[in-house]
Amino acid sequence: MTGVLDDVRGRTRLPLIGVAASAVLTGVVWLLGQRLHGVDLLPDQGASWYYWKLPDPTFRTRASAWLGYAAHQVVSWGLIHHAQTRVRRYTTGLHPVNVVALAANAGFIGLHAAQTQVFYDGLAQDVSIFSSQGSVVLLLVAVLLMENRRRGLFFGRRAPISADVVAFARRYHGYLFSWAVVYTFWYHPVESSSGHLVGFFYMFLLLFQSSLMFTAAHTNRWWTLGLEVMVAVHGALVAVMNSGPGGAWPMFLFGFVGVFVITQMHGVGLSAATRWWIAGSVVVAAACVYSWRGFGKVDEVVRIPAIEYLLVAVLALLVWAPLRLVRAGARRRG
């Protein structure tokens, strides 16, 4: 009984600490951002334009962001490799590698904050805004693929994805997730606009999760579900902040909540009645919003789910094809 209680505490205590720490760090970002109001930026030029970058970047401003990102990425990947080759067992508490990972991420958060104060620019100066958004979408799609055998893909039913593909994704997902989070973190300067604050809070949660490999908390289903669903809140809030109440926030809110209803809520043990109640509430809420917004736009609700499920199929194929080639080569050599 004591072991079970310790396991429950381990699964819940660390996520709560992560939420509190992320909130504190977000507050620090807001404070530091007050020193950046004097930075001159170019006028906004549309959806494909990233506003928060210097008009006249230099080699130093660019190098400061890229070198910081590269160091953060290499360290993160090195810690994941160490955990997979030296630890390889789950515990209710923290392994030494988790402590090192938490300290490393905290150090790189501080480094990026200082780099922004001195040089300002993030990676956004040299890469498309869609690369940052796409990296997070790829992370979410990979989770859908990984969890297919546990919770299914469509209302609890599994998609016909090879067990080898799922096993490969589960084994190596840490490297992909680390890239997605670290890249997105360094893409932005540590600014304090409302959209940045919401985004950095989400990034801090994901960095915290990436530090918990081989712990019970890392596989806490409610914690991981919360991290997945957080994108709906983030996407909707940023859309409102950027475009106002008449913007595309319903597409992000109901699109990502749609994925929750179709897939994600079926993996945490909710009763059938509860799941029906949640699905019905979402449909009623969407109907209310689009009765005001106009039912001619209701098709936007299906865009994000359609893209995500299509990408699951593409990602599964991209993993399956090389695995099959490798196995065929091994059989020939054998």
Side-chain angles (χ1 to χ4, degrees):
M1 185 65 178
T2 301
V4 173
L5 289 175
D6 288 341
D7 183 60
V8 171
R9 293 191 190 101
R11 289 179 181 272
T12 57
R13 183 178 66 250
L14 286 174
L16 291 175
I17 292 173
V19 172
S22 297
V24 170
L25 288 171
T26 305
V28 172
V29 170
W30 178 82
L31 287 173
L32 291 174
Q34 309 313 304
R35 296 168 50 89
L36 300 173
H37 292 323
V39 177
D40 293 325
L41 303 171
L42 293 174
D44 196 350
Q45 299 177 28
S48 62
W49 177 259
Y50 187 76
Y51 177 72
W52 292 272
K53 56 183 181 181
L54 296 176
D56 298 305
T58 66
F59 173 79
R60 289 184 178 182
T61 59
R62 284 186 159 106
S64 66
W66 282 104
L67 290 175
Y69 159 70
H72 194 172
Q73 192 66 86
V74 169
V75 169
S76 296
W77 281 340
L79 290 170
I80 293 169
H81 178 73
H82 175 86
Q84 287 193 333
T85 56
R86 302 293 180 85
V87 180
R88 295 184 297 182
R89 65 179 181 84
Y90 281 83
T91 181
T92 55
L94 294 175
H95 296 287
V97 70
N98 301 127
V99 177
V100 174
L102 289 167
N105 279 320
F108 281 112
I109 289 170
L111 176 64
H112 189 22
Q115 179 264 337
T116 298
Q117 294 292 318
V118 177
F119 299 105
Y120 190 76
D121 262 346
L123 304 183
Q125 188 64 248
D126 299 308
V127 289
S128 167
I129 188 173
F130 300 115
S131 66
S132 173
Q133 298 169 352
S135 66
V136 176
V137 170
L138 182 58
L139 184 156
L140 297 171
V141 167
V143 174
L144 294 177
L145 187 152
M146 285 169 48
E147 297 284 37
N148 176 58
R149 297 187 67 80
R150 183 179 67 85
R151 67 187 181 192
L153 202 60
F154 300 104
F155 304 103
R157 296 181 179 274
R158 295 175 180 175
I161 300 174
S162 166
D164 289 342
V165 170
V166 175
F168 181 89
R170 284 187 168 276
R171 178 168 179 78
Y172 296 106
H173 75 277
Y175 298 98
L176 173 64
F177 289 12
S178 172
W179 167 76
V181 177
V182 173
Y183 175 79
T184 302
F185 175 63
W186 282 88
Y187 179 89
H188 306 274
V190 184
E191 264 279 9
S192 61
S193 74
S194 52
H196 280 88
L197 292 176
V198 173
F200 276 121
F201 178 71
Y202 192 22
M203 286 299 103
F204 294 148
L205 290 175
L206 293 175
L207 286 170
F208 186 83
Q209 167 70 349
S210 72
S211 303
L212 299 182
M213 54 276 201
F214 292 104
T215 67
H218 190 74
T219 57
N220 180 324
R221 297 309 176 194
W222 286 101
W223 163 245
T224 56
L225 176 63
L227 293 176
E228 286 185 273
V229 175
M230 180 71 181
V231 72
V233 179
H234 171 260
L237 287 177
V238 171
V240 170
M241 293 165 187
N242 290 340
S243 306
W249 64 268
M251 179 180 71
F252 294 99
L253 177 62
F254 292 113
F256 286 117
V257 169
V259 176
F260 168 75
V261 170
I262 295 168
T263 302
Q264 294 160 347
M265 72 174 181
H266 302 281
V268 288
L270 297 175
S271 67
T274 300
R275 284 178 281 163
W276 275 108
W277 184 88
I278 291 172
S281 299
V282 171
V283 171
V284 170
C288 291
V289 169
Y290 282 95
S291 66
W292 154 74
R293 186 172 174 82
F295 284 106
K297 297 181 178 180
V298 74
D299 63 291
E300 65 187 15
V301 171
V302 303
R303 294 176 190 173
I304 287 175
I307 291 171
E308 288 208 12
Y309 294 121
L310 176 61
L311 289 176
V312 169
V314 172
L315 181 60
L317 181 62
L318 289 175
V319 175
W320 172 81
L323 287 177
R324 179 160 185 173
L325 288 174
V326 169
R327 287 200 166 189
R331 283 197 297 269
R332 285 195 299 268
R333 288 193 299 272

